[in-house]
Structures are given as C-alpha cells and as structure tokens.
Amino acid sequence: MPPCLLQSKGRYVRPGLRRDLGMPLAANLTEPLKEAIAASGHKSSEFRIKRAFNRDQAQKYREEKLEPTAAMGSVQLDEIKLRRVFQKLDLDGGDVLNAKMLKHFFHQMGKTVDSNEIDGMIAMVDPKEQGFASYEDFAAIFTNPAEGLRQVNAEYVRD
C-alpha cells in the first residue's frame, strides 16, 4: 500500500470513499517536514509522521461530521412531526398502530425485538387496553409524557 493512502485504525480507506466523504486523498507534508524526515535517517519516520497526520485529519473529520446530540428533554415534538411519525409506522393507513406494524418497523431498521417487548411498547401507548394504539394515545405519550404515563396500567404493561 502506498504511504500516501489514508488509514483509519489500521484499516485501509478507499480513495473513492475518501473523495466522496471530502477527506484528503494523501498526507500532504510540507517540504521542510519532508527534508527533516529524510535527514533523520530513520526508515520508519516518514511512515510514522504520515500516520500521525492521517490520525489527526481523521479526528478533525469526525469532529466536523458529528452532530451535537440534544440534551434530555430538549426536543419538542409538534403535532406535524408526531403525525408524520405515526403515519410512517401506520402501514395500512387504518390510523392505529399494532404489534405487527412495530415489529415490521424494527425489522426494517435491522433490529430484532422480542414479541414481549413489542407488546410492552403497544401497552405503553394503549391506555384503553385495546391491543393497538390510536393516534390520540400515541400523541398523548409524546406531547406530555408525565401525564400520558400516569394513565398507563402498569399491570397491563407487565402482562
């Protein structure tokens, strides 16, 4: 592997991927630094400096790309956002969510969720104990969680 290629944690990062991500294609060392490397006489000095440069560039890239996470409780969901989420989960357009729909949603995300967990999720947003959640029940939990959770029957969720 040519020494100018970027590596990440010892793994090769393809040039096409680096280009797509806006990462530098090579470790561009300044001429004085290249001369200092050559004068040091150490066989691995160029490799070590380029590796350090690549690590620094990768760290800068990660810091630029990371979005700050929202603090707990700082996200406010409005009616429009909640309706969109509910509609995405409501596969048949029946204006209710059931266990089958949630299981399908998690499967699409690549997550395996136990049927008991799915049933528990439905029970959390189903204060009427109908086996499904209407939009009103769903919105009540997310717009005012403290009040919505007070209406949940803990025994029903446990079962």
mmCIF file of all heavy atoms in Angstrom, residues 69-113:
data_model
loop_
_atom_site.group_PDB
_atom_site.id
_atom_site.type_symbol
_atom_site.label_atom_id
_atom_site.label_comp_id
_atom_site.label_asym_id
_atom_site.label_seq_id
_atom_site.Cartn_x
_atom_site.Cartn_y
_atom_site.Cartn_z
ATOM 1 N N THR A 69 -25.641 16.052 20.059
ATOM 2 C CA THR A 69 -26.852 15.369 20.482
ATOM 3 C C THR A 69 -27.673 16.301 21.356
ATOM 4 O O THR A 69 -27.138 17.126 22.086
ATOM 5 C CB THR A 69 -26.517 14.088 21.273
ATOM 6 O OG1 THR A 69 -25.695 14.449 22.385
ATOM 7 C CG2 THR A 69 -25.789 13.086 20.408
ATOM 8 N N ALA A 70 -28.954 16.154 21.248
ATOM 9 C CA ALA A 70 -29.855 17.003 22.021
ATOM 10 C C ALA A 70 -29.848 16.555 23.479
ATOM 11 O O ALA A 70 -29.762 15.373 23.781
ATOM 12 C CB ALA A 70 -31.260 16.911 21.457
ATOM 13 N N ALA A 71 -29.944 17.506 24.370
ATOM 14 C CA ALA A 71 -29.996 17.198 25.790
ATOM 15 C C ALA A 71 -31.344 16.557 26.107
ATOM 16 O O ALA A 71 -32.346 16.803 25.437
ATOM 17 C CB ALA A 71 -29.813 18.474 26.612
ATOM 18 N N MET A 72 -31.359 15.730 27.130
ATOM 19 C CA MET A 72 -32.585 15.049 27.539
ATOM 20 C C MET A 72 -33.679 16.073 27.820
ATOM 21 O O MET A 72 -33.473 17.019 28.563
ATOM 22 C CB MET A 72 -32.317 14.224 28.795
ATOM 23 C CG MET A 72 -33.505 13.435 29.261
ATOM 24 S SD MET A 72 -33.898 12.079 28.163
ATOM 25 C CE MET A 72 -32.781 10.857 28.742
ATOM 26 N N GLY A 73 -34.821 15.878 27.178
ATOM 27 C CA GLY A 73 -35.960 16.762 27.401
ATOM 28 C C GLY A 73 -35.956 18.031 26.576
ATOM 29 O O GLY A 73 -36.874 18.826 26.660
ATOM 30 N N SER A 74 -34.923 18.224 25.747
ATOM 31 C CA SER A 74 -34.844 19.478 24.993
ATOM 32 C C SER A 74 -35.580 19.408 23.656
ATOM 33 O O SER A 74 -35.836 20.425 23.039
ATOM 34 C CB SER A 74 -33.386 19.853 24.746
ATOM 35 O OG SER A 74 -32.788 18.921 23.879
ATOM 36 N N VAL A 75 -35.905 18.211 23.197
ATOM 37 C CA VAL A 75 -36.574 18.068 21.914
ATOM 38 C C VAL A 75 -38.078 18.232 22.113
ATOM 39 O O VAL A 75 -38.680 17.572 22.944
ATOM 40 C CB VAL A 75 -36.272 16.689 21.287
ATOM 41 C CG1 VAL A 75 -37.053 16.492 20.010
ATOM 42 C CG2 VAL A 75 -34.790 16.546 21.030
ATOM 43 N N GLN A 76 -38.644 19.147 21.375
ATOM 44 C CA GLN A 76 -40.079 19.383 21.433
ATOM 45 C C GLN A 76 -40.702 18.839 20.154
ATOM 46 O O GLN A 76 -40.317 19.232 19.065
ATOM 47 C CB GLN A 76 -40.378 20.886 21.565
ATOM 48 C CG GLN A 76 -39.813 21.515 22.821
ATOM 49 C CD GLN A 76 -40.434 20.931 24.079
ATOM 50 O OE1 GLN A 76 -41.618 20.676 24.126
ATOM 51 N NE2 GLN A 76 -39.620 20.709 25.086
ATOM 52 N N LEU A 77 -41.640 17.934 20.313
ATOM 53 C CA LEU A 77 -42.320 17.368 19.158
ATOM 54 C C LEU A 77 -43.635 18.097 18.958
ATOM 55 O O LEU A 77 -44.450 18.175 19.862
ATOM 56 C CB LEU A 77 -42.573 15.876 19.377
ATOM 57 C CG LEU A 77 -41.322 15.017 19.522
ATOM 58 C CD1 LEU A 77 -41.696 13.594 19.895
ATOM 59 C CD2 LEU A 77 -40.507 15.035 18.252
ATOM 60 N N ASP A 78 -43.809 18.612 17.776
ATOM 61 C CA ASP A 78 -45.072 19.289 17.499
ATOM 62 C C ASP A 78 -46.033 18.319 16.817
ATOM 63 O O ASP A 78 -45.691 17.197 16.466
ATOM 64 C CB ASP A 78 -44.853 20.555 16.675
ATOM 65 C CG ASP A 78 -44.246 20.288 15.310
ATOM 66 O OD1 ASP A 78 -44.197 19.118 14.887
ATOM 67 O OD2 ASP A 78 -43.836 21.258 14.659
ATOM 68 N N GLU A 79 -47.238 18.771 16.638
ATOM 69 C CA GLU A 79 -48.315 17.950 16.071
ATOM 70 C C GLU A 79 -47.956 17.415 14.681
ATOM 71 O O GLU A 79 -48.214 16.252 14.377
ATOM 72 C CB GLU A 79 -49.588 18.794 16.004
ATOM 73 C CG GLU A 79 -50.809 18.047 15.556
ATOM 74 C CD GLU A 79 -51.400 17.168 16.647
ATOM 75 O OE1 GLU A 79 -51.120 17.409 17.825
ATOM 76 O OE2 GLU A 79 -52.133 16.236 16.295
ATOM 77 N N ILE A 80 -47.324 18.234 13.869
ATOM 78 C CA ILE A 80 -46.991 17.830 12.500
ATOM 79 C C ILE A 80 -45.961 16.705 12.496
ATOM 80 O O ILE A 80 -46.112 15.705 11.790
ATOM 81 C CB ILE A 80 -46.493 19.045 11.680
ATOM 82 C CG1 ILE A 80 -47.624 20.056 11.537
ATOM 83 C CG2 ILE A 80 -45.962 18.617 10.331
ATOM 84 C CD1 ILE A 80 -47.194 21.389 10.969
ATOM 85 N N LYS A 81 -44.908 16.846 13.310
ATOM 86 C CA LYS A 81 -43.874 15.812 13.377
ATOM 87 C C LYS A 81 -44.447 14.505 13.909
ATOM 88 O O LYS A 81 -44.142 13.425 13.394
ATOM 89 C CB LYS A 81 -42.715 16.274 14.263
ATOM 90 C CG LYS A 81 -41.871 17.349 13.652
ATOM 91 C CD LYS A 81 -40.770 17.762 14.597
ATOM 92 C CE LYS A 81 -39.992 18.945 14.057
ATOM 93 N NZ LYS A 81 -39.007 19.441 15.034
ATOM 94 N N LEU A 82 -45.251 14.599 14.959
ATOM 95 C CA LEU A 82 -45.853 13.390 15.515
ATOM 96 C C LEU A 82 -46.752 12.692 14.500
ATOM 97 O O LEU A 82 -46.741 11.467 14.383
ATOM 98 C CB LEU A 82 -46.666 13.725 16.764
ATOM 99 C CG LEU A 82 -45.862 13.889 18.034
ATOM 100 C CD1 LEU A 82 -46.745 14.370 19.173
ATOM 101 C CD2 LEU A 82 -45.177 12.603 18.411
ATOM 102 N N ARG A 83 -47.517 13.454 13.771
ATOM 103 C CA ARG A 83 -48.414 12.870 12.767
ATOM 104 C C ARG A 83 -47.599 12.155 11.691
ATOM 105 O O ARG A 83 -47.954 11.060 11.260
ATOM 106 C CB ARG A 83 -49.294 13.967 12.155
ATOM 107 C CG ARG A 83 -50.243 13.500 11.085
ATOM 108 C CD ARG A 83 -51.149 12.391 11.487
ATOM 109 N NE ARG A 83 -52.293 12.843 12.240
ATOM 110 C CZ ARG A 83 -53.299 12.055 12.573
ATOM 111 N NH1 ARG A 83 -53.308 10.790 12.213
ATOM 112 N NH2 ARG A 83 -54.284 12.513 13.281
ATOM 113 N N ARG A 84 -46.486 12.764 11.262
ATOM 114 C CA ARG A 84 -45.633 12.141 10.242
ATOM 115 C C ARG A 84 -45.064 10.818 10.739
ATOM 116 O O ARG A 84 -45.047 9.824 10.009
ATOM 117 C CB ARG A 84 -44.494 13.074 9.852
ATOM 118 C CG ARG A 84 -44.900 14.108 8.865
ATOM 119 C CD ARG A 84 -43.675 14.816 8.311
ATOM 120 N NE ARG A 84 -44.037 16.180 7.997
ATOM 121 C CZ ARG A 84 -43.286 17.232 8.184
ATOM 122 N NH1 ARG A 84 -42.081 17.107 8.699
ATOM 123 N NH2 ARG A 84 -43.697 18.431 7.867
ATOM 124 N N VAL A 85 -44.563 10.823 11.974
ATOM 125 C CA VAL A 85 -44.007 9.592 12.542
ATOM 126 C C VAL A 85 -45.085 8.520 12.617
ATOM 127 O O VAL A 85 -44.870 7.369 12.236
ATOM 128 C CB VAL A 85 -43.398 9.857 13.946
ATOM 129 C CG1 VAL A 85 -43.049 8.561 14.639
ATOM 130 C CG2 VAL A 85 -42.173 10.752 13.827
ATOM 131 N N PHE A 86 -46.240 8.896 13.116
ATOM 132 C CA PHE A 86 -47.336 7.945 13.245
ATOM 133 C C PHE A 86 -47.717 7.373 11.874
ATOM 134 O O PHE A 86 -47.911 6.171 11.731
ATOM 135 C CB PHE A 86 -48.552 8.613 13.898
ATOM 136 C CG PHE A 86 -49.661 7.654 14.208
ATOM 137 C CD1 PHE A 86 -49.650 6.924 15.384
ATOM 138 C CD2 PHE A 86 -50.711 7.472 13.328
ATOM 139 C CE1 PHE A 86 -50.663 6.030 15.677
ATOM 140 C CE2 PHE A 86 -51.724 6.586 13.603
ATOM 141 C CZ PHE A 86 -51.708 5.859 14.785
ATOM 142 N N GLN A 87 -47.789 8.223 10.862
ATOM 143 C CA GLN A 87 -48.163 7.764 9.526
ATOM 144 C C GLN A 87 -47.123 6.819 8.934
ATOM 145 O O GLN A 87 -47.459 5.894 8.205
ATOM 146 C CB GLN A 87 -48.395 8.955 8.599
ATOM 147 C CG GLN A 87 -49.678 9.686 8.910
ATOM 148 C CD GLN A 87 -49.837 10.981 8.119
ATOM 149 O OE1 GLN A 87 -48.870 11.522 7.602
ATOM 150 N NE2 GLN A 87 -51.066 11.474 8.047
ATOM 151 N N LYS A 88 -45.852 7.049 9.255
ATOM 152 C CA LYS A 88 -44.803 6.148 8.773
ATOM 153 C C LYS A 88 -44.928 4.777 9.424
ATOM 154 O O LYS A 88 -44.649 3.758 8.793
ATOM 155 C CB LYS A 88 -43.429 6.740 9.044
ATOM 156 C CG LYS A 88 -43.153 7.999 8.276
ATOM 157 C CD LYS A 88 -41.828 7.935 7.609
ATOM 158 C CE LYS A 88 -41.523 9.269 6.990
ATOM 159 N NZ LYS A 88 -41.604 9.243 5.581
ATOM 160 N N LEU A 89 -45.323 4.761 10.691
ATOM 161 C CA LEU A 89 -45.486 3.490 11.392
ATOM 162 C C LEU A 89 -46.781 2.789 11.009
ATOM 163 O O LEU A 89 -46.858 1.566 11.023
ATOM 164 C CB LEU A 89 -45.453 3.721 12.906
ATOM 165 C CG LEU A 89 -44.135 4.224 13.486
ATOM 166 C CD1 LEU A 89 -44.305 4.584 14.944
ATOM 167 C CD2 LEU A 89 -43.041 3.200 13.314
ATOM 168 N N ASP A 90 -47.807 3.543 10.681
ATOM 169 C CA ASP A 90 -49.129 3.008 10.337
ATOM 170 C C ASP A 90 -49.105 2.509 8.894
ATOM 171 O O ASP A 90 -49.406 3.242 7.958
ATOM 172 C CB ASP A 90 -50.190 4.098 10.529
ATOM 173 C CG ASP A 90 -51.585 3.608 10.230
ATOM 174 O OD1 ASP A 90 -51.793 2.385 10.167
ATOM 175 O OD2 ASP A 90 -52.471 4.472 10.056
ATOM 176 N N LEU A 91 -48.770 1.239 8.720
ATOM 177 C CA LEU A 91 -48.549 0.683 7.384
ATOM 178 C C LEU A 91 -49.810 0.584 6.537
ATOM 179 O O LEU A 91 -49.759 0.754 5.324
ATOM 180 C CB LEU A 91 -47.909 -0.703 7.502
ATOM 181 C CG LEU A 91 -46.552 -0.734 8.187
ATOM 182 C CD1 LEU A 91 -46.082 -2.162 8.351
ATOM 183 C CD2 LEU A 91 -45.539 0.080 7.418
ATOM 184 N N ASP A 92 -50.935 0.279 7.160
ATOM 185 C CA ASP A 92 -52.147 0.086 6.373
ATOM 186 C C ASP A 92 -53.053 1.308 6.323
ATOM 187 O O ASP A 92 -54.117 1.285 5.710
ATOM 188 C CB ASP A 92 -52.932 -1.123 6.873
ATOM 189 C CG ASP A 92 -53.434 -0.967 8.296
ATOM 190 O OD1 ASP A 92 -53.226 0.103 8.905
ATOM 191 O OD2 ASP A 92 -54.037 -1.934 8.812
ATOM 192 N N GLY A 93 -52.634 2.393 6.963
ATOM 193 C CA GLY A 93 -53.417 3.622 6.937
ATOM 194 C C GLY A 93 -54.690 3.559 7.753
ATOM 195 O O GLY A 93 -55.580 4.384 7.581
ATOM 196 N N GLY A 94 -54.802 2.608 8.673
ATOM 197 C CA GLY A 94 -56.002 2.454 9.488
ATOM 198 C C GLY A 94 -56.055 3.369 10.690
ATOM 199 O O GLY A 94 -56.953 3.261 11.517
ATOM 200 N N ASP A 95 -55.078 4.242 10.835
ATOM 201 C CA ASP A 95 -54.986 5.205 11.935
ATOM 202 C C ASP A 95 -54.835 4.549 13.298
ATOM 203 O O ASP A 95 -55.232 5.103 14.318
ATOM 204 C CB ASP A 95 -56.176 6.175 11.924
ATOM 205 C CG ASP A 95 -55.763 7.555 12.427
ATOM 206 O OD1 ASP A 95 -54.575 7.906 12.259
ATOM 207 O OD2 ASP A 95 -56.605 8.260 12.996
ATOM 208 N N VAL A 96 -54.256 3.340 13.310
ATOM 209 C CA VAL A 96 -53.900 2.660 14.554
ATOM 210 C C VAL A 96 -52.567 1.947 14.353
ATOM 211 O O VAL A 96 -52.210 1.582 13.230
ATOM 212 C CB VAL A 96 -54.968 1.635 15.016
ATOM 213 C CG1 VAL A 96 -56.259 2.316 15.391
ATOM 214 C CG2 VAL A 96 -55.186 0.567 13.980
ATOM 215 N N LEU A 97 -51.849 1.766 15.455
ATOM 216 C CA LEU A 97 -50.597 1.003 15.429
ATOM 217 C C LEU A 97 -50.813 -0.289 16.192
ATOM 218 O O LEU A 97 -51.389 -0.280 17.280
ATOM 219 C CB LEU A 97 -49.467 1.782 16.105
ATOM 220 C CG LEU A 97 -49.035 3.083 15.475
ATOM 221 C CD1 LEU A 97 -47.907 3.708 16.281
ATOM 222 C CD2 LEU A 97 -48.596 2.874 14.048
ATOM 223 N N ASN A 98 -50.326 -1.384 15.623
ATOM 224 C CA ASN A 98 -50.406 -2.645 16.333
ATOM 225 C C ASN A 98 -49.018 -3.274 16.401
ATOM 226 O O ASN A 98 -48.050 -2.744 15.854
ATOM 227 C CB ASN A 98 -51.432 -3.585 15.682
ATOM 228 C CG ASN A 98 -51.108 -3.896 14.238
ATOM 229 O OD1 ASN A 98 -49.948 -3.948 13.847
ATOM 230 N ND2 ASN A 98 -52.136 -4.095 13.433
ATOM 231 N N ALA A 99 -48.930 -4.412 17.065
ATOM 232 C CA ALA A 99 -47.645 -5.075 17.280
ATOM 233 C C ALA A 99 -46.990 -5.472 15.959
ATOM 234 O O ALA A 99 -45.772 -5.353 15.807
ATOM 235 C CB ALA A 99 -47.844 -6.301 18.172
ATOM 236 N N LYS A 100 -47.782 -5.930 15.005
ATOM 237 C CA LYS A 100 -47.234 -6.350 13.710
ATOM 238 C C LYS A 100 -46.529 -5.190 13.004
ATOM 239 O O LYS A 100 -45.455 -5.361 12.432
ATOM 240 C CB LYS A 100 -48.366 -6.908 12.854
ATOM 241 C CG LYS A 100 -47.919 -7.479 11.541
ATOM 242 C CD LYS A 100 -49.094 -8.059 10.779
ATOM 243 C CE LYS A 100 -48.660 -8.559 9.424
ATOM 244 N NZ LYS A 100 -49.793 -9.088 8.659
ATOM 245 N N MET A 101 -47.121 -4.005 13.080
ATOM 246 C CA MET A 101 -46.526 -2.830 12.429
ATOM 247 C C MET A 101 -45.220 -2.437 13.094
ATOM 248 O O MET A 101 -44.243 -2.117 12.412
ATOM 249 C CB MET A 101 -47.509 -1.668 12.467
ATOM 250 C CG MET A 101 -48.715 -1.866 11.610
ATOM 251 S SD MET A 101 -49.887 -0.526 11.874
ATOM 252 C CE MET A 101 -51.307 -1.166 11.028
ATOM 253 N N LEU A 102 -45.198 -2.458 14.419
ATOM 254 C CA LEU A 102 -43.954 -2.116 15.126
ATOM 255 C C LEU A 102 -42.869 -3.142 14.850
ATOM 256 O O LEU A 102 -41.706 -2.782 14.670
ATOM 257 C CB LEU A 102 -44.197 -2.009 16.625
ATOM 258 C CG LEU A 102 -44.814 -0.720 17.113
ATOM 259 C CD1 LEU A 102 -44.947 -0.746 18.632
ATOM 260 C CD2 LEU A 102 -44.020 0.490 16.685
ATOM 261 N N LYS A 103 -43.245 -4.406 14.819
ATOM 262 C CA LYS A 103 -42.260 -5.454 14.536
ATOM 263 C C LYS A 103 -41.678 -5.256 13.136
ATOM 264 O O LYS A 103 -40.469 -5.371 12.931
ATOM 265 C CB LYS A 103 -42.912 -6.821 14.664
ATOM 266 C CG LYS A 103 -41.926 -7.944 14.692
ATOM 267 C CD LYS A 103 -42.575 -9.226 15.154
ATOM 268 C CE LYS A 103 -41.481 -10.213 15.466
ATOM 269 N NZ LYS A 103 -41.937 -11.333 16.221
ATOM 270 N N HIS A 104 -42.526 -4.927 12.174
ATOM 271 C CA HIS A 104 -42.061 -4.665 10.809
ATOM 272 C C HIS A 104 -41.116 -3.459 10.789
ATOM 273 O O HIS A 104 -40.066 -3.491 10.137
ATOM 274 C CB HIS A 104 -43.259 -4.407 9.891
ATOM 275 C CG HIS A 104 -42.867 -4.052 8.495
ATOM 276 N ND1 HIS A 104 -42.431 -4.984 7.591
ATOM 277 C CD2 HIS A 104 -42.822 -2.854 7.858
ATOM 278 C CE1 HIS A 104 -42.135 -4.389 6.454
ATOM 279 N NE2 HIS A 104 -42.363 -3.094 6.584
ATOM 280 N N PHE A 105 -41.457 -2.411 11.521
ATOM 281 C CA PHE A 105 -40.626 -1.208 11.586
ATOM 282 C C PHE A 105 -39.232 -1.551 12.122
ATOM 283 O O PHE A 105 -38.222 -1.169 11.533
ATOM 284 C CB PHE A 105 -41.300 -0.161 12.476
ATOM 285 C CG PHE A 105 -40.440 1.015 12.774
ATOM 286 C CD1 PHE A 105 -40.170 1.968 11.814
ATOM 287 C CD2 PHE A 105 -39.882 1.173 14.034
ATOM 288 C CE1 PHE A 105 -39.357 3.056 12.088
ATOM 289 C CE2 PHE A 105 -39.071 2.261 14.319
ATOM 290 C CZ PHE A 105 -38.811 3.201 13.343
ATOM 291 N N PHE A 106 -39.168 -2.284 13.223
ATOM 292 C CA PHE A 106 -37.867 -2.638 13.794
ATOM 293 C C PHE A 106 -37.091 -3.570 12.858
ATOM 294 O O PHE A 106 -35.875 -3.464 12.743
ATOM 295 C CB PHE A 106 -38.022 -3.274 15.176
ATOM 296 C CG PHE A 106 -38.273 -2.266 16.251
ATOM 297 C CD1 PHE A 106 -39.513 -2.157 16.849
ATOM 298 C CD2 PHE A 106 -37.271 -1.404 16.655
ATOM 299 C CE1 PHE A 106 -39.750 -1.216 17.837
ATOM 300 C CE2 PHE A 106 -37.492 -0.457 17.638
ATOM 301 C CZ PHE A 106 -38.736 -0.361 18.223
ATOM 302 N N HIS A 107 -37.796 -4.457 12.187
ATOM 303 C CA HIS A 107 -37.137 -5.348 11.227
ATOM 304 C C HIS A 107 -36.512 -4.537 10.091
ATOM 305 O O HIS A 107 -35.390 -4.821 9.658
ATOM 306 C CB HIS A 107 -38.142 -6.364 10.676
ATOM 307 C CG HIS A 107 -37.539 -7.317 9.695
ATOM 308 N ND1 HIS A 107 -36.677 -8.317 10.078
ATOM 309 C CD2 HIS A 107 -37.650 -7.396 8.344
ATOM 310 C CE1 HIS A 107 -36.282 -8.970 9.004
ATOM 311 N NE2 HIS A 107 -36.858 -8.433 7.936
ATOM 312 N N GLN A 108 -37.215 -3.513 9.606
ATOM 313 C CA GLN A 108 -36.685 -2.655 8.549
ATOM 314 C C GLN A 108 -35.435 -1.914 9.013
ATOM 315 O O GLN A 108 -34.563 -1.597 8.215
ATOM 316 C CB GLN A 108 -37.744 -1.643 8.087
ATOM 317 C CG GLN A 108 -38.911 -2.262 7.355
ATOM 318 C CD GLN A 108 -38.482 -2.900 6.045
ATOM 319 O OE1 GLN A 108 -37.634 -2.394 5.345
ATOM 320 N NE2 GLN A 108 -39.077 -4.035 5.730
ATOM 321 N N MET A 109 -35.354 -1.607 10.300
ATOM 322 C CA MET A 109 -34.180 -0.925 10.856
ATOM 323 C C MET A 109 -33.047 -1.897 11.149
ATOM 324 O O MET A 109 -31.978 -1.496 11.573
ATOM 325 C CB MET A 109 -34.565 -0.195 12.154
ATOM 326 C CG MET A 109 -35.452 0.993 11.912
ATOM 327 S SD MET A 109 -35.983 1.856 13.416
ATOM 328 C CE MET A 109 -34.604 1.766 14.497
ATOM 329 N N GLY A 110 -33.298 -3.204 10.937
ATOM 330 C CA GLY A 110 -32.269 -4.203 11.196
ATOM 331 C C GLY A 110 -32.183 -4.605 12.655
ATOM 332 O O GLY A 110 -31.187 -5.163 13.081
ATOM 333 N N LYS A 111 -33.215 -4.346 13.415
ATOM 334 C CA LYS A 111 -33.232 -4.676 14.839
ATOM 335 C C LYS A 111 -34.174 -5.853 15.073
ATOM 336 O O LYS A 111 -35.265 -5.913 14.512
ATOM 337 C CB LYS A 111 -33.729 -3.499 15.685
ATOM 338 C CG LYS A 111 -32.972 -2.214 15.458
ATOM 339 C CD LYS A 111 -31.658 -2.245 16.145
ATOM 340 C CE LYS A 111 -30.965 -0.903 15.966
ATOM 341 N NZ LYS A 111 -29.611 -0.902 16.384
ATOM 342 N N THR A 112 -33.737 -6.755 15.915
ATOM 343 C CA THR A 112 -34.592 -7.856 16.313
ATOM 344 C C THR A 112 -35.126 -7.539 17.699
ATOM 345 O O THR A 112 -34.358 -7.375 18.639
ATOM 346 C CB THR A 112 -33.801 -9.174 16.344
ATOM 347 O OG1 THR A 112 -33.217 -9.385 15.066
ATOM 348 C CG2 THR A 112 -34.703 -10.340 16.698
ATOM 349 N N VAL A 113 -36.431 -7.414 17.787
ATOM 350 C CA VAL A 113 -37.063 -7.071 19.057
ATOM 351 C C VAL A 113 -38.001 -8.201 19.429
ATOM 352 O O VAL A 113 -38.785 -8.684 18.610
ATOM 353 C CB VAL A 113 -37.836 -5.732 18.948
ATOM 354 C CG1 VAL A 113 -38.470 -5.364 20.268
ATOM 355 C CG2 VAL A 113 -36.897 -4.621 18.501
#
